[in-house]
Every structure is written in C-alpha cells, then in structure tokens.
Amino acid sequence: MAFLKTTYKRNRTAFMSIAQEPLCRRHRVSEMPLFSKDGDITIGGIFSLHDNFVTVKPTFNDKPEPLNCKGLNVYEFQTVAAIMFCLEQINNNTDLLPGVSLGYKIYDSCSSMPMAMSAAMALVNGNEETWDALQSILYLLVNIMFASLSCLQISHTATCACLSNRKEYPSFFRTIPSDFFQSRTLAKLVKHFGWKWIGAIRSDNDYGNGGMATFLQEAQNEGICVEFSESIYRTYPREKFLKTVDVIKKSSAKVIVAFSSSADLAILVKELLIQNVTGLQWIGSESWVSSVNLAKPVNYRVLGGAIGFIISSAVIPGLKEFFLNINPSKSPGWNELWENIFNCTFATQDKAANINPCTGSESLQGINHVFMYLSELRIINNVYKAVYSIAYALHDLLMCRDGQGPFANKTCANQKNIQPWQLLHYMNKVHFITKSGENVYFDENGDSVARYELVNWQLTEDGTVKYITVGLYDVPKTNESSRVDYSGNCFIPVSVCSESCHPGTRKAAQKGRPNCCFDCIPCADGEIKYKSNYLRDLCILKDTEFLAYEEIMGEILALFSLFGACVTLGIAAVFFIHKDTPIVRANNSELSFLLLFSLTLCFLCSLTFIGRPTDWSCLLRHTAFGITFVLCISCVLGKTIVVLMAFRATLPGSNVMKWFGPVQQRLSVFAFTSVQILICTLWLTIVPPFPYKNLKSSTEKIILECDLGSVVAFYAVLGYIGFLSIICFVLAFFARKLPDNFNEAKFITFSMLIFCAVWITFIPVYVSSPGKYTVAVEIFAILASSFALLFCIFIPKCYIILLKPENNTKKHLMGKNQLNNFQL
C-alpha cells in the first residue's frame, strides 16, 4: 500500500494515500524518501520501486540488520514519474488550487510489508528516521490507526472487492474497477460465446478467492456449469501444481477461466508446457491477461488466443515530453534507472565499476526501453485520475465549494489546519472530466465506474505476443445496463458437457452431474414439438392451435356472449323500472332479479374459454360455469316450487306457504349453490385444471387446451347441474296445467326441455370434437342454454310490460278467462 501525507504550510498535517501493491528497493530504508519536493501541501507515496528484498541473518545478541533491496521495477518508476507530471501540471494550473503548491515524498518499500508499514508510520508521524524491521502485526495496527484518523487512501491498482465495504474501509477510494465488476464481466463473456462447460483456476489469496467466488455465483445465474475449480499459489509445492495439471488433462472442458496473478499462473503454465497441455481456450482476469512478463512466445503454446478484460487505456497530453525531460541531475533518485536504461554506471570509488560511466546528460529520445513505452497508458491513467481527484477534493475543501463542508460559513481558503476527515467529505463529491474526455467520480463505495477493454492474445509477424483490443465492456453510472461488444475474428471453440440433442430425441439428466450434462434419448410418441418442412430438409416448430379472439369463430362467440349479457342487463333494467307492477311482483321479483344476475354471469363466463389457455383461465373456466349455472337452475327451481306451493295454498285448510316464504327461498338457493361450490373447491384444491400442450391429437400442430385435472370432478359438476335440471323439469311439467294467468310453469318447462336437450347433445359432441372445436362446442352449449332460459322465462313478461301494459293488472292476472291471454 502507498500512503500519502499532506502538510499545509508545514504547520498542520492531513493524511491521504494512494494504495498499491507492497514496494521495495536496494537502498537501506533509512535513506528514504527516494524522491521529494517541497510544497504547501506535500503528497507522500510508497511504491514498489524494487521487486525483492534480502535480509542479513543477525548473529546472537546482534541488532537485526535493516532490509536491503534488489531487482529494479521499471513500471513503478513510470508511476512515480506520472505523479510528478500530474503535480507539475496542477501547480501550473491557475484555476485548480490557485496560490497553493503541491509537493511530494516518494518512498520505496522493496515489496516488503514491514517496510511498507514503516513508511506508513513515517508518513503519519512525520519522522523518516524510524525504519527498523517491523513485525507483521504492525500492518493491522496501522490500518486501525488509519481508520480512527479517517485518513484518505486512494488506490490505482487495488482491485479486491472486499475494499468496497464502507464499514471496514470508510476512507478508501480507487480509480481502478473492483474485481466484483470484473468477475461479473467474465461470466457475461463466457455466456456471450455460448460456453456452458468450463474449468476454473484461481490464486489462493484474497484476490483469487474473492474474484472467483463472485464469478462462480454469476456463472450459476447464467446457466454455466463448472467442471472443476482449482487453487494455485506461487509457494505451493510442485506436487500441488502437478495435481492441478492432471485435473486439467482429464477434464472435458475446453475453456478455462483463470482468476489469478501472473506470478502464480506462470508456474502452472510452465508445468503445462512440460506436459504439452495445449489447445485450451483461456479466459483471463486483468492481473495476468495484460502481463508483459507472461505474454511471451514460449507461453503462447499454452495461452495462445487467450481473451480477457483489462482496464481501459487513455491519452495523456504532454506526458511523453515530461518523460523525455527526466534527468538524474535533477534528482539522484533516477540514478539507478538511468544506469539500467543506458547500461552505464555513475562515478563511484570503485574504479573497476566505472568502465562505462554515466554522464547524466544522455537523452531518452528514441530510446527503446520499457520505461518509454507510453503507447497504452492504463495504470498510469489510473494514477493520473487519482492525483487529480485529490487535487479537486483539496480545491473544493479550501474553497468550501458546496457550502456543506466542515468549513461552511467560514473563510475556507485561509484555513491552515486541514484534517483528514474534512477531505473525505469532498472526496465523495469529486466529479471532473479529464483532458481525454473521461468522467471521473466515485460511487457510494468509493469505487470508480467499471470500463474494460476485451483483449485477445495474438502472435505477430515478428514472433512477439500482443494483446489486441477486440471489444469493450462498459457499465454506465446508473448501473442499469451493460454491454459486451466483440469484434474479433479468432477461432471460437465449443465447450459443452453434452452436445445438443438431435430432432427426435430429448434431454435426460445424468445422475450426480450438473444440469449441463445430459443424455439424449428418443422421444416417445407425441413428445416431438417439431415437424418437417415442405422439402423435408429442415425441422420447424409445429403450429399452435387454440380458440383465439382474433379468428372469426372466436369473434362471433364473444359477440354472442356480450350480446346475451347486454340483453339480460336490459331486461333487468325493465324489471327494475316496473318493479311495482303486478306482473313483476306476482312472479317473485327477488328470485327474478337473482336469476337475471346469474344469467349475466353465465354469458360472461363463456369468455374465459376464448384465448390462449393460462393458469387462471383454466381454473375459472369450468368452475365459474358450474357455479353460475347451479345458481341459475336453483333460482328456476325456486320459482317452480313457488308456483306449486301457491296453487296448494289456495286449497281449503292449506297452510303450506308459511313453509316456503322469502327466507326459505333464499336458503334453498344458497343450499343448492353451496353444494356446487364445495365440489369446485375440492376440485381446485386436489387436482385443479392446468394449461396443457396436446401433442397427441394431431401430428401437424400443437393444441393448447386446459387439462381437466380430474375428470371425475368435471363430471360431478355437470352431473349436479343435470340433477337439478331434471328435478326442475319434472316439477315444472307437473305444474304446467295449473289454472290462472299467474302460472309460468309452462314456460319453465319449455326452457328446461331446451336446456336438457342442449346438454345431453353436448356430451357426445364434446368428446368427438377435435382441437379448438371442443371449446367452441362447450361455449355454444353455455350460450344456447342461457338464451333458452332468458327468452322462455322473461321475454313473455317483457312483452306484457312493454307492449301490453293494459294486461299488467292484478285483475287480469287473477282472472279466469284465459282466451287471448298468455299463460304466464
């Protein structure tokens, strides 16, 4: 980690950090900082300017020797130069931090955690002379201390998703995307290419384990199966790497996703080369897929064609010119890099070492060295954004830009006591656009927006390995959408556990294996959903058939249903307007209105039979029909019984009507209907109807219909309706010749005769009708029986009410003369 220290006018201190991998160098720690420049505000950083460190074993009772460094890390020197470039630009900018100069102190940790923590302590304490060898426990103590001080830390390379936890790292920011986004991106990439069967390799550390865990979860959501998941680490014994190689050799997966560091994967690749394990498609995380050290021709045999996501590059105007002006005469910290670039040495007391002395005036112009490779500014661009983010946050803090900061209502620009927690408030609000047009801001977790380039390893004509950009992945600020654009022309292998089943076969799961693995077995009769085309050279989907509203038959039946409902409502309106007239009152107006209501429902329930069958329509079809028709027949039955009881009540000494008054009529209707409701409830609870694709009735099409679920329940519903209809018909038949115009039994008899005839005819036609015509027959039966009841019972009364009002009198209804009168 690289921590930053800021000192304002050298009086008070605030702390920031640019977090990165542990750092190192060959110089003794007490010689730090390696680079420094004074300023009103000093930014301090710690970087891995050397790759390794060695320790001198102390003798007994001797004081431990300080750590020493070796192995120059040129890329880290590029980072240091980029920081210097950014600070020089900021200091020369009159709009950003006017009147305030930024300085720096750069430390070298030699890739040693103890040295990195010692550097951090020096930054916090302002004391560079406390560089003894430290115990690892200091790392935890420094983190606790930084958390308590709310010291700002900003990283350009730390990608661990764990750092997005705001509770544990409230002051951490980064300009590189979190591994959380990269893991999800890799899963989308695998899905994009149609790979369903893959292997997984990960580094056994926080980076690999955390990133792979997110990837595996996302892969599972995308329907991707993982055959194996192996961990590797550079300190593992060779036997562990050989075991992983053996797993890869025995695997049937042709695609391997590796979430690993380049150092760990390099050891595995070496073993794969020895055993000649090639021909696999590797998908890489950013840590290794963009590694120059790993992208070598010798490794191309194993990793050739690898693809993966790396952070986006950018153009930074003026950076190359700044690099060309770097000179060791301005800072001795560049001496070692200078010696490496020009293969020379600076003057020393050892004359033998001065064979090719460095003058310090050598020019970097035209030099072919890694330090001058500035064509793809990926990490450097993150450094650029990190430094400028601090500058903009400082600017807003000193100017009290939003009026809500710690210096609100004060003269912020004159403050000389900048505290770390004050800067955090403004860091959360940083939002600026770089000169290359890139938006820079941080979300609620301190993360920057994820934007990656999809690269493909390709072998160039000169025999070198290059990763070529072939696509993009961009997550916008809203995080509502993302995309993978692929423009590559490379060969894309197939990686599936089982090949797709051919026409005429179906999938059968393999016991104990993922759902991506299956056997293909012949389809049974009626299971195939495809048919051959006219030329019999291609399988095409069968047509689906159901009674739709869009076809003529569906439209006609729907119109008749709505027409019947409207006529019923119209008759109800007529009866309501003339509810006090003798003909309405004499014919049991309460049951009449209930009968009209139930007939309206009968007409409307036929609409549930039209359209594509769904779960709800299948549940409603027969149950709604059964209940409404029983309610209808119950009302007719009640009216018939009233007619019979009314005649018996006219006989001398009869007192029967007191047993069949309005209350008893309501109870009888409720009792008859409750039986049907109970039957339907049991039907829906035990074996309810459901949508069904009928593949057996026709070889040319798929019939969409509602499976009854329980045939017994269906016929129980029809049987109960039939039972009540027969009783009603018999009673009405006996009452058809009763005297008085009051008698409506003849019309009830006729209506029930039509009703029973329709449903007796319905059963054989229903059974024999194919496809959608089965539903049409059922709708026709519902409409015919409903119209029969409506017209036979109510049309004669409406005729008297509307066209013969002179007959709508009590005298006429009770008269004995039946000539030229309707028997109602």
Side-chain angles (χ1 to χ4, degrees), residues 15-305:
F15 301 93
M16 298 171 286
S17 71
I18 294 183
Q20 167 166 303
E21 301 294 329
L23 328 166
C24 93
R25 67 187 182 89
R26 73 182 178 186
H27 305 283
R28 296 174 65 87
V29 180
S30 59
E31 297 174 346
M32 294 183 178
L34 191 59
F35 300 94
S36 65
K37 181 181 179 180
D38 292 336
D40 297 329
I41 299 177
T42 301
I43 297 179
I46 309 172
F47 295 91
S48 298
L49 297 173
H50 295 79
D51 292 326
N52 302 290
F53 66 90
V54 294
T55 58
V56 180
K57 293 184 179 180
T59 58
F60 186 70
N61 290 331
D62 285 347
K63 183 179 179 181
E65 291 290 330
L67 299 178
N68 293 279
C69 302
K70 66 176 183 178
L72 193 69
N73 190 331
V74 178
Y75 295 103
E76 291 296 85
F77 277 90
Q78 281 186 327
T79 301
V80 171
I83 292 177
M84 296 177 180
F85 166 75
C86 294
L87 294 178
E88 182 178 291
Q89 275 197 334
I90 293 169
N91 288 335
N92 294 332
N93 188 343
T94 58
D95 296 327
L96 185 60
L97 290 174
V100 178
S101 63
L102 299 181
Y104 55 83
K105 286 187 178 181
I106 306 298
Y107 294 85
D108 183 6
S109 72
C110 298
S111 296
S112 165
M113 184 62 71
M115 292 176 67
M117 293 302 103
S118 296
M121 289 295 293
L123 285 172
V124 174
N125 296 326
N127 179 10
E128 287 81 34
E129 304 300 328
T130 58
W131 292 91
D132 294 327
L134 302 177
Q135 301 297 323
S136 60
I137 189 64
L138 182 60
Y139 179 71
L140 176 60
L141 296 175
V142 170
N143 273 292
I144 296 174
M145 175 190 66
F146 270 34
S148 63
L149 293 175
S150 298
C151 296
L152 171 63
Q153 304 168 66
I154 182 167
S155 167
H156 63 284
T157 57
T159 60
C160 180
C162 60
L163 295 172
S164 297
N165 188 333
R166 242 9 187 182
K167 292 183 179 179
E168 295 186 16
Y169 307 99
S171 57
F172 180 81
F173 297 84
R174 52 182 158 195
T175 54
I176 189 171
S178 165
D179 286 335
F180 172 77
F181 296 107
Q182 185 178 184
S183 300
R184 296 179 63 193
T185 302
L186 291 175
K188 292 182 181 297
L189 179 66
V190 173
K191 180 185 179 182
H192 179 78
F193 287 111
W195 294 319
K196 295 289 187 179
W197 187 240
I198 65 171
I201 302 291
R202 70 185 186 279
S203 287
D204 194 5
N205 53 22
D206 288 343
Y207 170 76
N209 293 330
M212 184 56 70
T214 303
F215 169 79
L216 293 178
Q217 179 62 47
E218 192 69 19
Q220 182 180 1
N221 296 339
E222 299 288 358
I224 301 166
C225 299
V226 180
E227 183 179 10
F228 65 86
S229 181
E230 292 288 313
S231 63
I232 57 176
Y233 198 67
R234 67 200 75 172
T235 59
Y236 278 180
R238 188 187 180 201
E239 290 73 18
K240 180 65 171 67
F241 281 92
L242 292 176
K243 175 182 175 294
T244 301
V245 172
D246 189 56
V247 170
I248 295 174
K249 289 171 63 177
K250 293 179 179 178
S251 168
S252 60
K254 301 300 181 184
V255 175
I256 298 179
V257 176
F259 214 100
S260 167
S261 67
S262 59
D264 296 338
L265 191 64
I267 302 174
L268 178 63
V269 171
K270 181 180 178 180
E271 297 296 339
L272 291 171
L273 283 169
I274 294 174
Q275 300 193 38
N276 195 30
V277 182
T278 61
L280 299 175
Q281 176 65 57
W282 289 80
I283 312 295
S285 61
E286 191 275 336
S287 180
W288 72 264
V289 81
S290 61
S291 171
V292 178
N293 295 328
L294 198 60
K296 297 178 179 178
V298 65
N299 295 332
Y300 193 79
R301 285 176 50 207
V302 172
L303 301 176

Side-chain angles (χ1 to χ4, degrees), residues 368-630:
N368 184 19
H369 190 269
V370 175
F371 182 73
M372 295 303 297
Y373 289 171
L374 302 174
S375 59
E376 294 181 349
L377 303 178
R378 303 181 190 277
I379 296 298
I380 289 181
N381 184 47
N382 287 343
V383 175
Y384 179 89
K385 292 186 290 186
V387 175
Y388 265 89
S389 295
I390 296 171
Y392 275 100
L394 281 170
H395 181 83
D396 291 341
L397 169 62
L398 296 175
M399 301 299 292
C400 198
R401 181 58 59 87
D402 64 356
Q404 300 175 357
F407 298 132
N409 302 320
K410 298 181 181 179
T411 309
C412 305
N414 295 327
Q415 294 297 323
K416 298 182 179 180
N417 187 8
I418 302 176
Q419 298 299 324
W421 57 270
Q422 296 169 332
L423 187 60
L424 287 177
H425 170 80
Y426 291 94
M427 196 67 184
N428 282 304
K429 296 179 176 296
V430 163
H431 192 172
F432 64 95
I433 300 177
T434 65
K435 291 183 179 180
S436 61
E438 184 175 357
N439 263 308
V440 179
Y441 54 88
F442 302 99
D443 63 16
E444 64 276 6
N445 298 320
D447 294 327
S448 58
V449 173
R451 187 174 186 271
Y452 298 100
E453 291 181 12
L454 177 62
V455 296
N456 174 229
W457 281 27
Q458 298 179 14
L459 197 63
T460 60
E461 294 180 357
D462 60 1
T464 60
V465 178
K466 298 289 185 182
Y467 43 88
I468 309 300
T469 300
V470 293
L472 294 172
Y473 178 87
D474 196 356
V475 179
K477 182 178 179 180
T478 58
N479 201 26
E480 293 177 352
S481 62
S482 57
R483 60 188 176 91
V484 175
D485 297 328
Y486 178 72
S487 56
N489 296 317
C490 57
F491 170 73
I492 300 176
V494 176
S495 185
V496 294
C497 182
S498 301
E499 295 291 339
S500 299
C501 292
H502 297 293
T505 62
R506 64 177 179 86
K507 295 179 181 180
Q510 295 180 356
K511 187 176 181 180
R513 304 200 70 188
N515 56 10
C516 298
C517 303
F518 50 84
D519 295 319
C520 295
I521 61 176
C523 294
D525 291 339
E527 288 187 350
I528 301 176
K529 298 181 181 180
Y530 293 85
K531 64 179 181 179
S532 63
N533 63 349
Y534 178 76
L535 298 176
R536 297 187 177 274
D537 59 356
L538 182 67
C539 285
I540 58 176
L541 277 173
K542 293 180 179 179
D543 296 327
T544 57
E545 180 185 275
F546 59 92
L547 185 59
Y549 285 103
E550 293 78 11
E551 59 182 295
I552 295 178
M553 183 165 57
E555 291 178 351
I556 293 175
L557 291 175
L559 287 175
F560 271 100
S561 299
L562 295 174
F563 173 73
C566 292
V567 171
T568 306
L569 292 175
I571 293 175
V574 171
F575 267 56
F576 181 77
I577 294 171
H578 300 85
K579 61 181 181 296
D580 295 325
T581 60
I583 195 169
V584 176
R585 297 182 63 184
N587 285 278
N588 201 323
S589 60
E590 184 174 330
L591 286 182
S592 295
F593 281 115
L594 186 58
L595 177 57
L596 288 169
F597 171 74
S598 61
L599 282 173
T600 303
L601 295 181
C602 289
F603 283 115
L604 294 178
C605 78
S606 61
L607 296 176
T608 62
F609 289 81
I610 307 175
R612 178 183 290 269
T614 63
D615 291 332
W616 282 105
S617 66
C618 288
L619 293 175
L620 285 174
R621 282 185 181 184
H622 298 101
T623 53
F625 149 72
I627 293 172
T628 54
F629 261 79
V630 164

Side-chain angles (χ1 to χ4, degrees), residues 747-776:
F747 299 103
I748 295 177
T749 303
F750 187 63
S751 66
M752 296 311 302
L753 181 63
I754 297 176
F755 185 93
C756 293
V758 168
W759 286 102
I760 291 174
T761 308
F762 160 76
I763 294 177
V765 177
Y766 177 83
V767 172
S768 60
S769 298
K772 62 184 178 182
Y773 298 102
T774 303
V775 179

